[in-house]
Amino acid sequence: SQQGEEDPQALSIQEGENATMNCSYKTSINNLQWYRQNSGRGLVHLILIRSNEREKHSGRLRVTLDTSKKSSSLLITASRAADTASYFCATDAGNRDDKIIFGKGTRLHILP
Amino acid sequence: ETGVTQSPTHLIKTRGQQVTLRCSSQSGHNTVSWYQQALGQGPQFIFQYYREEENGRGNFPPRFSGLQFPNYSSELNVNALELDDSALYLCASSFGTVSYEQYFGPGTRLTVT
Protein backbone atom coordinates (compact mmCIF):
# COMPACT_ATOMS: atom_id res chain seq x y z
CA SER A 1 0.00 0.00 0.00
CA GLN A 2 1.11 3.59 -0.53
CA GLN A 3 1.70 5.95 2.33
CA GLY A 4 1.52 9.18 0.38
CA GLU A 5 -1.16 10.39 -1.98
CA GLU A 6 -0.50 13.36 -4.23
CA ASP A 7 -3.17 15.73 -5.37
CA PRO A 8 -3.94 16.59 -8.11
CA GLN A 9 -3.06 13.57 -10.24
CA ALA A 10 -2.33 15.88 -13.16
CA LEU A 11 -1.88 19.64 -13.52
CA SER A 12 -1.44 21.86 -16.58
CA ILE A 13 -0.48 25.51 -16.16
CA GLN A 14 0.91 28.30 -18.28
CA GLU A 15 4.62 29.02 -18.19
CA GLY A 16 5.35 31.63 -15.55
CA GLU A 17 2.50 30.63 -13.27
CA ASN A 18 2.95 28.95 -9.92
CA ALA A 19 2.26 25.24 -9.48
CA THR A 20 1.08 23.74 -6.21
CA MET A 21 0.98 20.04 -5.47
CA ASN A 22 -0.23 18.42 -2.29
CA CYS A 23 0.65 15.21 -0.53
CA SER A 24 -1.26 13.49 2.25
CA TYR A 25 0.06 10.57 4.25
CA LYS A 26 -1.34 8.15 6.79
CA THR A 27 1.11 7.40 9.59
CA SER A 28 3.60 9.44 11.58
CA ILE A 29 6.87 10.21 9.84
CA ASN A 30 10.41 11.33 10.58
CA ASN A 31 10.79 13.18 7.31
CA LEU A 32 9.13 13.77 3.96
CA GLN A 33 10.88 14.15 0.64
CA TRP A 34 9.86 15.42 -2.78
CA TYR A 35 11.29 13.97 -5.98
CA ARG A 36 10.98 14.87 -9.66
CA GLN A 37 10.94 12.37 -12.51
CA ASN A 38 11.28 13.29 -16.17
CA SER A 39 9.65 11.01 -18.75
CA GLY A 40 9.91 7.71 -16.87
CA ARG A 41 13.56 8.14 -16.05
CA GLY A 42 15.35 8.20 -12.70
CA LEU A 43 14.10 10.30 -9.85
CA VAL A 44 15.86 13.47 -8.76
CA HIS A 45 15.78 14.43 -5.10
CA LEU A 46 14.39 17.95 -4.69
CA ILE A 47 14.01 18.64 -1.02
CA LEU A 48 13.68 16.96 2.37
CA ILE A 49 11.69 18.37 5.25
CA ARG A 50 11.92 16.92 8.72
CA SER A 51 8.93 16.37 10.96
CA ASN A 52 9.95 19.24 13.26
CA GLU A 53 10.13 21.70 10.34
CA ARG A 54 7.15 23.58 8.94
CA GLU A 55 8.55 25.20 5.81
CA LYS A 56 11.61 24.90 3.63
CA HIS A 57 12.85 26.72 0.54
CA SER A 58 15.19 25.73 -2.24
CA GLY A 59 15.45 28.13 -5.18
CA ARG A 60 11.98 28.31 -6.76
CA LEU A 61 10.69 25.49 -4.56
CA ARG A 62 8.79 25.94 -1.32
CA VAL A 63 7.70 22.97 0.75
CA THR A 64 5.41 23.07 3.74
CA LEU A 65 4.63 20.33 6.21
CA ASP A 66 1.65 20.11 8.53
CA THR A 67 2.08 17.05 10.73
CA SER A 68 -1.26 17.63 12.47
CA LYS A 69 -3.02 17.25 9.13
CA LYS A 70 -0.49 14.72 7.81
CA SER A 71 -0.01 16.76 4.67
CA SER A 72 2.66 18.57 2.70
CA SER A 73 2.64 20.91 -0.25
CA LEU A 74 5.18 21.66 -2.95
CA LEU A 75 5.04 25.06 -4.59
CA ILE A 76 7.02 25.78 -7.75
CA THR A 77 7.09 29.49 -8.49
CA ALA A 78 7.53 31.08 -11.93
CA SER A 79 7.21 27.74 -13.70
CA ARG A 80 9.32 26.92 -16.76
CA ALA A 81 8.92 24.39 -19.55
CA ALA A 82 11.73 22.36 -17.97
CA ASP A 83 9.55 21.86 -14.88
CA THR A 84 7.32 19.52 -16.89
CA ALA A 85 7.70 16.23 -15.04
CA SER A 86 6.08 13.96 -12.48
CA TYR A 87 6.48 14.92 -8.86
CA PHE A 88 6.41 12.42 -6.02
CA CYS A 89 6.32 12.77 -2.30
CA ALA A 90 8.03 10.08 -0.29
CA THR A 91 7.77 9.42 3.41
CA ASP A 92 9.63 7.15 5.73
CA ALA A 93 7.61 4.71 7.79
CA GLY A 94 8.20 6.46 11.10
CA ASN A 95 10.03 4.26 13.56
CA ARG A 96 9.11 0.96 11.97
CA ASP A 97 11.90 0.68 9.45
CA ASP A 98 14.10 2.68 7.17
CA LYS A 99 12.46 2.27 3.80
CA ILE A 100 10.68 5.13 2.12
CA ILE A 101 7.26 4.94 0.52
CA PHE A 102 6.32 6.90 -2.58
CA GLY A 103 2.95 8.25 -3.60
CA LYS A 104 1.53 7.90 -7.11
CA GLY A 105 2.72 11.32 -8.18
CA THR A 106 1.40 14.48 -9.77
CA ARG A 107 2.01 14.89 -13.50
CA LEU A 108 2.81 18.54 -14.14
CA HIS A 109 2.68 19.97 -17.65
CA ILE A 110 3.87 23.50 -18.32
CA LEU A 111 2.21 25.04 -21.36
CA PRO A 112 4.22 27.51 -23.50
CA GLU B 1 23.20 13.54 -13.35
CA THR B 2 23.89 11.32 -10.36
CA GLY B 3 26.82 8.94 -10.23
CA VAL B 4 24.47 5.96 -10.18
CA THR B 5 24.42 3.85 -13.32
CA GLN B 6 22.19 0.97 -14.32
CA SER B 7 22.40 -1.63 -17.04
CA PRO B 8 20.89 -2.53 -19.33
CA THR B 9 18.70 0.44 -20.29
CA HIS B 10 16.00 -1.67 -21.86
CA LEU B 11 15.31 -5.37 -21.79
CA ILE B 12 12.67 -7.64 -23.31
CA LYS B 13 12.18 -11.09 -21.82
CA THR B 14 9.68 -13.88 -22.15
CA ARG B 15 7.40 -15.07 -19.37
CA GLY B 16 9.13 -17.75 -17.29
CA GLN B 17 12.65 -16.52 -18.01
CA GLN B 18 15.09 -15.09 -15.52
CA VAL B 19 16.66 -11.62 -15.59
CA THR B 20 19.55 -9.86 -13.86
CA LEU B 21 19.70 -6.09 -13.58
CA ARG B 22 22.81 -4.24 -12.45
CA CYS B 23 23.46 -1.05 -10.53
CA SER B 24 26.65 0.81 -9.72
CA SER B 25 26.31 3.06 -6.70
CA GLN B 26 27.61 6.58 -6.33
CA SER B 27 31.14 6.85 -5.01
CA GLY B 28 31.18 6.85 -1.20
CA HIS B 29 27.75 5.26 -0.87
CA ASN B 30 27.39 1.91 0.89
CA THR B 31 23.65 1.30 0.55
CA VAL B 32 21.60 0.35 -2.49
CA SER B 33 17.82 0.21 -2.62
CA TRP B 34 15.80 -1.26 -5.48
CA TYR B 35 12.37 -0.09 -6.59
CA GLN B 36 9.80 -1.28 -9.11
CA GLN B 37 7.77 1.38 -10.87
CA ALA B 38 4.79 0.28 -12.92
CA LEU B 39 3.43 2.62 -15.56
CA GLY B 40 1.62 5.56 -14.00
CA GLN B 41 2.52 4.54 -10.45
CA GLY B 42 5.05 5.61 -7.88
CA PRO B 43 8.12 3.47 -7.17
CA GLN B 44 7.53 0.47 -4.89
CA PHE B 45 10.32 -0.57 -2.54
CA ILE B 46 11.68 -4.05 -3.31
CA PHE B 47 14.63 -4.35 -0.92
CA GLN B 48 17.71 -2.62 0.37
CA TYR B 49 21.31 -3.82 0.68
CA TYR B 50 23.73 -2.39 3.19
CA ARG B 51 27.32 -3.60 3.33
CA GLU B 52 26.46 -6.73 1.31
CA GLU B 53 23.55 -7.78 3.55
CA GLU B 54 19.83 -7.44 2.85
CA ASN B 55 18.44 -4.75 5.13
CA GLY B 56 14.70 -4.54 4.69
CA ARG B 57 12.35 -5.93 2.09
CA GLY B 58 9.08 -4.78 0.65
CA ASN B 59 6.08 -6.88 -0.31
CA PHE B 60 7.73 -8.83 -3.13
CA PRO B 61 7.90 -12.62 -3.54
CA PRO B 62 11.14 -14.60 -3.04
CA ARG B 63 11.68 -14.86 -6.78
CA PHE B 64 12.97 -11.29 -6.46
CA SER B 65 16.44 -11.56 -5.01
CA GLY B 66 19.53 -9.45 -4.89
CA LEU B 67 23.20 -9.17 -4.18
CA GLN B 68 25.56 -6.43 -3.14
CA PHE B 69 29.26 -6.70 -3.89
CA PRO B 70 32.29 -5.45 -1.91
CA ASN B 71 32.45 -2.36 -4.13
CA TYR B 72 28.77 -1.72 -3.18
CA SER B 73 27.44 -2.31 -6.66
CA SER B 74 24.34 -4.45 -6.73
CA GLU B 75 22.28 -6.89 -8.77
CA LEU B 76 18.56 -7.53 -8.84
CA ASN B 77 17.54 -10.99 -10.01
CA VAL B 78 14.02 -11.96 -10.92
CA ASN B 79 13.17 -15.60 -11.61
CA ALA B 80 10.14 -17.06 -13.37
CA LEU B 81 9.18 -13.73 -14.93
CA GLU B 82 5.51 -12.83 -15.08
CA LEU B 83 3.78 -10.32 -17.33
CA ASP B 84 3.15 -8.06 -14.30
CA ASP B 85 6.91 -7.78 -13.77
CA SER B 86 7.01 -5.39 -16.74
CA ALA B 87 8.07 -2.10 -15.20
CA LEU B 88 10.86 0.42 -14.76
CA TYR B 89 13.35 -0.86 -12.19
CA LEU B 90 15.19 1.82 -10.31
CA CYS B 91 18.13 1.56 -8.00
CA ALA B 92 19.13 4.25 -5.56
CA SER B 93 22.29 4.60 -3.57
CA SER B 94 22.81 6.37 -0.29
CA PHE B 95 25.23 6.55 2.58
CA GLY B 96 23.75 4.63 5.48
CA THR B 97 20.46 2.81 5.73
CA VAL B 98 18.29 5.72 6.67
CA SER B 99 17.09 7.08 3.36
CA TYR B 100 17.45 10.77 4.01
CA GLU B 101 18.75 11.39 0.54
CA GLN B 102 18.96 8.79 -2.15
CA TYR B 103 20.50 9.21 -5.58
CA PHE B 104 18.65 7.34 -8.29
CA GLY B 105 19.96 5.77 -11.43
CA PRO B 106 18.17 6.21 -14.77
CA GLY B 107 16.42 2.86 -14.48
CA THR B 108 16.07 -0.31 -16.52
CA ARG B 109 12.87 -0.71 -18.52
CA LEU B 110 11.88 -4.39 -18.43
CA THR B 111 9.19 -5.71 -20.74
CA VAL B 112 7.92 -9.25 -20.24
CA THR B 113 6.02 -10.76 -23.18
Side-chain angles (χ1 to χ4, degrees), chain B residues 62-112:
Chain B
R63 57 190 186 84
F64 284 79
S65 63
L67 282 173
Q68 188 178 32
F69 301 100
N71 66 355
Y72 301 127
S73 65
S74 177
E75 286 183 355
L76 164 65
N77 299 290
V78 186
N79 293 322
L81 284 167
E82 301 177 359
L83 297 179
D84 285 348
D85 296 334
S86 294
L88 180 69
Y89 287 84
L90 297 161
C91 78
S93 75
S94 57
F95 182 76
T97 61
V98 181
S99 306
Y100 284 141
E101 190 166 333
Q102 298 181 106
Y103 293 85
F104 280 81
T108 293
R109 175 75 61 187
L110 172 66
T111 302
V112 182

Side-chain angles (χ1 to χ4, degrees), chain B residues 29-54:
Chain B
H29 286 179
N30 56 15
T31 304
V32 173
S33 302
W34 284 93
Y35 295 85
Q36 180 195 67
Q37 186 179 21
L39 201 61
Q41 301 294 314
Q44 296 284 307
F45 176 76
I46 303 174
F47 44 55
Q48 181 184 81
Y49 278 84
Y50 171 64
R51 292 185 175 181
E52 303 178 60
E53 297 286 331
E54 186 178 292

